């Protein structure tokens, strides 16, 4: 990254003038904290004591045998407190908020995972917390909303636009333009104006650092390939950046292929995955929105498009400038997995390994499964399980079509309406 | 461009200064191209120009207008359903310029639609009808090429400053400014959501009083000052007389239009001018 927060031609800072002082303050405090060993120590301790790090690297012997190709290992970010990698970022930013002396955090959330993580850290650090969430996502992920409220956060439904993550992000930025002297915008992924992409990627890079060490312990080598799902790009940046200069390690990002290639049916910004999307070129194009330059899904007039994914956390119109740059430089290969393949991969992991991944993470599994049979048995492949799937119970139940679950819900509703 | 050349006073600046000899304060009204439909938005603009507003700010809609509050956000989203085209918008502006020579037109949009069109190309093509460009998410330090393009085309890039802008940065903006400076009156987005919390008798500002803030800007700047965000009523405009050259009205205009169409618009303009 250069001084202005650019990664190649992506990144930068394109924000309303009113945010300038807070953006500069954040930049300064972040740089100082990076160089401050007591901050780094506190960060490490908090990740250990509050989130349960390090998370394990789990060998998948059954699935490896079944697919008959490379050996599969899972990086278990699902075992973080809150059930997702989002915790790593909120711990880091939360400690920064304390340093800056601000009293309130603003967060956007898609799946609700970042909303929960923000609400948790706010409760722990004694901060006020407002979470913006698309009204459509609230419908898809109500259990997470319930917990955010129980934790004391204010959850604001966003009813403009497509009512998903991107609209929530816009609304969080609007709040920040009003409240910036006392509030910190705690973005949940490695997007936004500088220094957010760098900072979030840095706090997440504990994933990759641990993976590197654990790979040595488990199979005495670096992995041959690393797979991660890419929504905004934070779990991918986290596991991949520590391997960036290990050029023998192949890095593969998996986007949401959704239902197909029509606008509004997917969140495929970068990949040119002919087998899955039969599109001649990547579907996104360069743009500048939400504070940064990157690849966005947009029409020919530069209006951002609607997106779809079975996983609310991957349903995002842009992508981290770090990911866009790595993909452009061919350091990172991007592929996409469609909703139905994701459900298949999800079920496979449940049945054969006894692990319930988040639907976001199941994209990484689906992407890996599509390639692993072609890889030699001697290879070792790491898949980032960015989160656990408990939150997805409603969506999965409807995707796999379990009639008993629906009957249970209606019985439960009848009961609670009676009392 | 050589630095020692003093730029000529821009046409927009000359226009504002001329008009100000006749009036204590000018009006800049803000409309969204394509809202409620392309045709109706043109009619709305014509109505405003017929009613004699000195400056018309036309927003080309973007799906993600992060500096705009509910009224303008909603108008942008509705406008986008009509698939507005930037080149059509420029043509409409060109025709206004010919038909209404006593007003000046500014084009406002967010970076992405302009970037998609080609920012340099846009600046060149806009010059026939547009006097100034307002891009709220393009900060000064990212704007080197844009400023060169604007100077070449004879369009003023209008910079926004806010009550939170530090003095050193204010000075940078004042040095860069041509045409006029857009002084945001307070924190937050356009419209009423957060100004409702505040005393509606005042134009809300944050840490410094509006008078001090505009006084400081006037001291550092050589161009006319326009003030916007949260201006809805006549008394606010009266209060600005002597402190600023232009009062900018946006969300209030949209709300009036939504409530009572063009009739209400004419009435609001009359009221804002204090002519009733
Ligand atoms: C479990 C999980 N994985 C992945 C993502 C995608 O985000 P990112 O690409 O920033 O990791 C999310 C976002 O909500 C998530 O909750």
């Amino acid at each position: 990254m250069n001084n202005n927060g650019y990664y190649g031609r992506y990144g930068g800072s394109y924000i309303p003038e009113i945010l300038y002082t807070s953006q500069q303050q954040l930049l300064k405090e972040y740089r100082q904290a990076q160089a401050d060993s007591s901050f780094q120590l506190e960060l490490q301790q908090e990740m250990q004591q509050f989130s349960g790090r390090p998370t394990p690297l789990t060998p998948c012997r059954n699935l490896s045998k079944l697919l008959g190709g490379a050996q599969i290992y899972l990086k278990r970010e699902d075992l973080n407190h809150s059930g997702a990698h989002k915790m790593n970022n909120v711990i880091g930013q939360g400690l920064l908020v304390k340093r800056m002396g601000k009293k309130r955090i603003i967060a956007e959330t898609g799946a609700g995972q970042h909303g929960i993580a923000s609400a948790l850290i706010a409760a722990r650090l004694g901060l006020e917390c407002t979470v913006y969430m698309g009204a459509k996502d609230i419908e898809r992920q109500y259990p997470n909303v319930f917990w955010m409220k129980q934790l004391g956060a204010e959850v604001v439904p966003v009813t403009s636009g497509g009512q998903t993550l991107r609209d929530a992000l816009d609304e969080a930025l609007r709040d920040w333009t009003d409240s910036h002297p006392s509030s910190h915008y705690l973005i949940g992924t490695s997007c936004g104006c500088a220094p957010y992409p760098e900072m979030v990627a840095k706090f997440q890079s504990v994933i990759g650092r641990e993976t590197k060490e654990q790979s040595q312990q488990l199979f005495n080598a670096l992995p041959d390939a690393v797979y991660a799902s890419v929504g905004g790009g934070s779990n991918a940046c986290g596991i991949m950046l520590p391997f960036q200069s290990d050029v023998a390690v192949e890095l593969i990002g998996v986007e949401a292929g959704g239902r197909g290639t029509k606008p509004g049916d997917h969140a495929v910004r970068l990949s040119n995955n002919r087998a899955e999307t039969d599109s001649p070129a990547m579907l996104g194009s360069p743009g500048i929105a939400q504070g940064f330059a990157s690849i966005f899904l947009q029409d020919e007039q530069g209006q951002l498009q609607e997106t779809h994914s079975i996983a609310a956390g991957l349903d995002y119109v842009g992508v981290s400038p770090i990911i866009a740059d790595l993909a452009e430089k061919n350091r990172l290969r991007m592929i996409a997995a469609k909703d139905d393949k994701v459900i298949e991969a999800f079920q496979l992991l449940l049945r054969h390994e006894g692990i319930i991944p988040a639907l976001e993470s199941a994209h990484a599994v689906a992407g890996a499964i599509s390639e692993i049979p072609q890889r030699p048995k001697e290879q070792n492949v790491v898949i980032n399980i960015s989160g656990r799937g408990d939150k997805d119970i409603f969506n999965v139940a409807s995707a796999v079509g379990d009639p008993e679950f629906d009957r249970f819900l209606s019985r439960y509703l009848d009961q609670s309406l009676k009392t | 461009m050589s630095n020692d050349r003093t730029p000529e006073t821009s046409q927009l600046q000359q226009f504002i200064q001329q008009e100000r000899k006749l009036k204590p304060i000018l009006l800049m009204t803000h409309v969204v191209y394509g809202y409620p439909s392309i045709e109706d938005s043109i009619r709305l603009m014509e109505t405003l120009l017929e009613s004699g507003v000195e400056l018309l700010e036309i927003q080309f809609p973007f799906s993600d207008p992060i500096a705009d509050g509910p009224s303008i956000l909603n108008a942008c989203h509705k406008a986008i359903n009509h698939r507005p085209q930037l080149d059509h918008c420029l043509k409409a502006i060109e025709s206004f310029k010919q038909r209404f020579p006593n007003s000046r037109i500014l084009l406002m949009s967010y970076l992405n639609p302009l970037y998609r069109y080609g920012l340099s190309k846009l600046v060149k093509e806009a010059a026939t009808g547009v006097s100034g460009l307002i891009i709220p998410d393009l900060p000064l330090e990212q704007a080197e090429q844009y400023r060169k393009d604007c100077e070449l085309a004879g369009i003023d890039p209008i910079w926004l400053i806010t009550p939170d802008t530090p003095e050193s940065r204010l000075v940078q903006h004042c040095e860069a400014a041509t045409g006029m400076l857009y002084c945001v009156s307070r924190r937050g987005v356009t419209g009423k959501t957060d100004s409702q919390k505040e005393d509606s008798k005042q134009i809300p500002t944050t840490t410094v009083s509006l008078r001090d803030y505009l006084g400081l800007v006037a001291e550092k700047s050589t161009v006319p000052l326009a003030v916007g965000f949260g201006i809805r009523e006549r008394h606010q405009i009266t209060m600005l007389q002597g402190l600023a050259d232009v009062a900018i009205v946006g969300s209030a205009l949209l709300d009036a239009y939504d409530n009572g169409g063009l009739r209400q618009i004419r009435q609001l303009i009359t009221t804002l001018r204090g002519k009733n």
Side-chain angles (χ1 to χ4, degrees):
Chain A
M1 197 205 56
N2 74 17
N3 279 337
N4 298 323
Y6 278 91
Y7 296 84
R9 53 188 181 132
Y10 304 116
S13 181
Y14 298 88
I15 48 173
E17 180 59 29
I18 191 89
L19 291 174
Y20 177 80
T21 42
S22 277
Q23 188 259 349
Q24 289 293 306
Q25 178 195 17
L26 179 62
L27 191 68
K28 196 172 124 220
E29 293 277 356
Y30 169 65
R31 293 267 179 271
Q32 284 172 358
Q34 280 306 109
D36 177 351
S37 57
S38 70
F39 180 89
Q40 296 303 325
L41 188 68
E42 198 184 357
L43 180 64
Q44 199 187 352
Q45 263 175 8
E46 198 66 2
M47 285 196 172
Q48 213 174 69
Q49 296 169 351
F50 189 52
S51 197
R53 300 207 73 92
T55 61
L57 188 64
T58 304
C60 291
R61 300 199 178 87
N62 303 329
L63 196 57
S64 303
K65 202 160 155 196
L66 185 81
L67 296 177
Q71 306 310 303
I72 303 167
Y73 297 83
L74 305 182
K75 179 59 176 167
R76 302 292 305 283
E77 291 303 298
D78 57 316
L79 296 179
N80 273 292
H81 179 38
S82 89
H85 72 292
K86 299 284 173 187
M87 206 63 213
N88 305 324
N89 172 41
V90 301
I91 290 174
Q93 288 197 53
L95 295 178
L96 260 184
V97 174
K98 267 181 53 189
R99 239 180 118 91
M100 293 189 285
K102 293 190 173 180
K103 300 278 181 270
R104 174 174 174 263
I105 57 174
I106 310 157
E108 84 297 334
T109 196
Q113 290 305 105
H114 175 58
I116 294 235
S118 299
L120 287 166
I121 202 72
R124 182 164 169 86
L125 299 179
L127 304 167
E128 277 179 64
C129 176
T130 300
V131 180
Y132 290 91
M133 188 166 181
K136 219 188 248 174
D137 288 336
I138 290 183
E139 286 302 308
R140 292 198 279 187
Q141 307 281 348
Y142 190 76
N144 277 343
V145 177
F146 173 81
W147 284 123
M148 284 179 240
K149 289 183 178 164
Q150 291 299 308
L151 285 159
E154 178 196 12
V155 181
V156 183
V158 177
T159 54
S160 58
Q163 312 186 0
T164 62
L165 179 57
R166 153 190 154 214
D167 309 283
L169 206 153
D170 285 340
E171 218 44 46
L173 276 170
R174 291 188 185 105
D175 182 319
W176 202 33
T177 63
D178 193 30
S179 61
H180 72 94
S182 57
S183 301
H184 171 71
Y185 176 27
L186 206 171
I187 199 170
T189 190
S190 52
C191 291
C193 65
Y196 281 108
E198 175 196 357
M199 181 171 75
V200 176
K202 190 83 187 177
F203 289 140
Q204 290 293 1
S205 65
V206 64
I207 306 173
R209 287 197 307 273
E210 285 176 12
T211 304
K212 218 169 186 175
E213 246 182 70
Q214 291 163 330
S215 303
Q216 293 293 350
Q217 287 158 10
L218 277 178
F219 46 84
N220 218 358
L222 292 178
D224 294 281
V226 175
Y227 290 86
S229 67
V230 178
S234 69
N235 87 87
C237 284
I239 196 164
M240 288 173 181
L241 289 185
F243 292 105
Q244 195 182 342
S245 49
D246 301 305
V247 289
V249 181
E250 203 188 333
L251 306 176
I252 303 105
V254 188
E255 300 183 276
R259 296 179 287 244
T261 53
K262 279 216 309 283
D265 275 356
H266 62 87
V268 180
R269 297 135 304 179
L270 290 170
S271 40
N272 173 12
N273 187 9
R274 285 164 218 88
E276 280 293 325
T277 63
D278 53 55
S279 76
M282 70 183 188
L283 299 176
S285 50
I288 301 171
Q290 300 194 316
F292 65 108
S294 188
I295 299 291
F296 291 88
L297 290 169
Q298 55 185 320
D299 66 17
E300 62 295 336
Q301 286 289 319
Q303 307 296 350
L304 301 191
Q305 284 172 335
E306 299 309 327
T307 48
H308 160 81
S309 167
I310 193 171
L314 301 187
D315 198 350
Y316 181 52
V317 70
V319 69
S320 172
I322 304 175
I323 296 284
D325 182 51
L326 286 177
E328 190 162 287
K329 293 181 174 141
N330 287 320
R331 179 63 190 96
L332 166 65
R333 181 161 59 84
M334 294 295 297
I335 60 177
K338 282 189 178 162
D339 287 350
D340 52 351
K341 295 284 176 204
V342 170
I343 291 291
E344 271 176 46
F346 176 90
Q347 289 176 313
L348 222 52
L349 201 62
L350 259 66
R351 304 270 162 83
H352 295 281
E353 297 294 343
I355 289 169
I356 308 179
L359 283 177
E360 289 79 10
S361 323
H363 280 72
V365 179
I369 285 178
S370 73
E371 299 186 351
I372 280 171
Q374 291 86 261
R375 290 183 181 275
K377 282 192 173 58
E378 301 70 41
Q379 284 198 358
N380 298 297
V381 162
V382 174
I383 306 171
N384 197 17
I385 302 300
S386 51
R388 66 172 186 235
D390 311 43
K391 69 177 173 68
D392 294 314
I393 183 165
F394 293 92
N395 298 327
V396 173
S398 98
V400 302
D402 176 21
E404 196 46 49
F405 190 78
D406 289 346
R407 284 197 285 275
F408 157 72
L409 286 180
S410 69
R411 284 198 305 276
Y412 181 84
L413 201 59
D414 284 348
Q415 281 293 326
S416 64
L417 288 176
K418 264 183 223 149
T419 53
Chain B
M1 283 188 304
S2 69
N3 281 334
D4 45 29
R5 205 193 96 211
T6 27
E8 300 160 40
T9 309
S10 83
Q11 290 189 12
L12 178 61
Q13 180 169 350
Q14 283 176 25
F15 170 79
I16 295 173
Q17 285 167 343
Q18 285 296 328
E19 290 288 311
R20 276 279 283 107
K21 287 183 187 152
L22 311 169
K23 303 164 194 168
I25 194 158
L26 315 183
L27 204 55
M28 175 153 108
T29 51
H30 178 121
V31 290
V32 175
Y33 178 77
Y35 177 78
S37 68
I38 306 279
E39 273 170 30
D40 285 331
S41 72
I42 301 274
R43 295 260 318 280
L44 171 55
M45 295 173 206
E46 286 169 347
T47 303
L48 290 165
L49 290 165
E50 280 159 8
S51 78
V53 300
E54 292 83 12
L55 298 162
L56 179 67
E57 179 186 5
I58 299 175
Q59 176 166 4
F60 185 79
F62 176 47
S63 52
D64 295 69
I66 52 178
D68 284 306
S71 299
I72 294 178
L73 171 63
N74 173 55
C76 287
H77 282 167
K78 295 240 164 80
I80 286 168
N81 292 335
H82 304 299
R83 309 201 128 269
Q85 314 269 316
L86 194 49
D87 52 348
H88 295 183
C89 179
L90 291 179
K91 286 216 181 74
I93 294 175
E94 211 178 308
S95 106
F96 290 150
K97 163 113 178 186
Q98 283 158 11
R99 287 157 57 208
F100 301 98
N102 297 326
S103 301
R104 294 292 177 274
I105 297 163
L106 287 84
L107 178 65
M108 177 266 182
S109 191
Y110 290 82
L111 255 181
N112 204 52
L114 309 183
Y115 177 76
R116 189 80 185 152
Y117 191 79
L119 193 51
S120 293
K121 175 172 168 233
L122 170 89
V123 170
K124 216 179 285 165
E125 292 178 8
T128 44
V130 171
S131 300
L133 273 167
I134 302 171
I135 312 177
D137 57 348
L138 178 62
L140 195 57
E141 36 291 296
Q142 310 270 12
E144 205 180 320
Q145 184 61 43
Y146 166 66
R147 287 173 65 190
K148 283 183 194 157
D149 292 340
C150 282
E151 187 175 345
L152 219 64
I155 290 190
D156 290 317
I158 308 300
W159 301 105
L160 285 87
I161 50 167
T162 78
D164 289 342
T165 305
E167 194 170 321
S168 59
R169 191 169 167 80
L170 173 65
V171 170
Q172 281 176 4
H173 279 86
C174 289
E175 280 166 5
T178 61
M180 65 181 207
L181 262 175
Y182 191 131
C183 308
V184 175
S185 68
R186 55 152 168 80
R187 290 192 187 121
V189 291
T190 56
K192 61 184 170 186
T193 41
D194 41 42
S195 61
Q196 274 174 336
K197 284 187 273 182
E198 322 209 19
D199 178 1
S200 78
K201 297 270 185 295
Q202 302 287 321
I203 301 169
T205 55
T206 47
T207 47
V208 286
S209 85
L210 188 67
R211 190 171 289 275
D212 293 349
Y213 161 51
L214 293 177
L216 180 67
V217 182
E219 193 184 300
K220 307 284 176 201
S221 152
T222 56
V223 300
L225 306 186
V227 178
F229 280 44
I231 299 181
R232 313 187 70 84
E233 291 171 30
R234 168 69 192 160
H235 64 81
Q236 294 173 306
I237 296 178
T238 322
M239 207 193 86
L240 284 175
Q241 290 178 8
L243 296 173
D245 303 286
V246 180
I248 306 167
V249 181
S251 301
L253 204 81
L254 266 174
D255 296 346
Y257 184 77
D258 289 343
N259 286 331
L262 295 177
R263 248 194 59 218
Q264 193 111 354
I265 288 289
R266 289 192 200 96
Q267 206 174 345
L268 178 67
I269 297 297
T270 314
T271 314
L272 291 175
R273 285 207 181 282
K275 281 193 210 143
N276 52 347

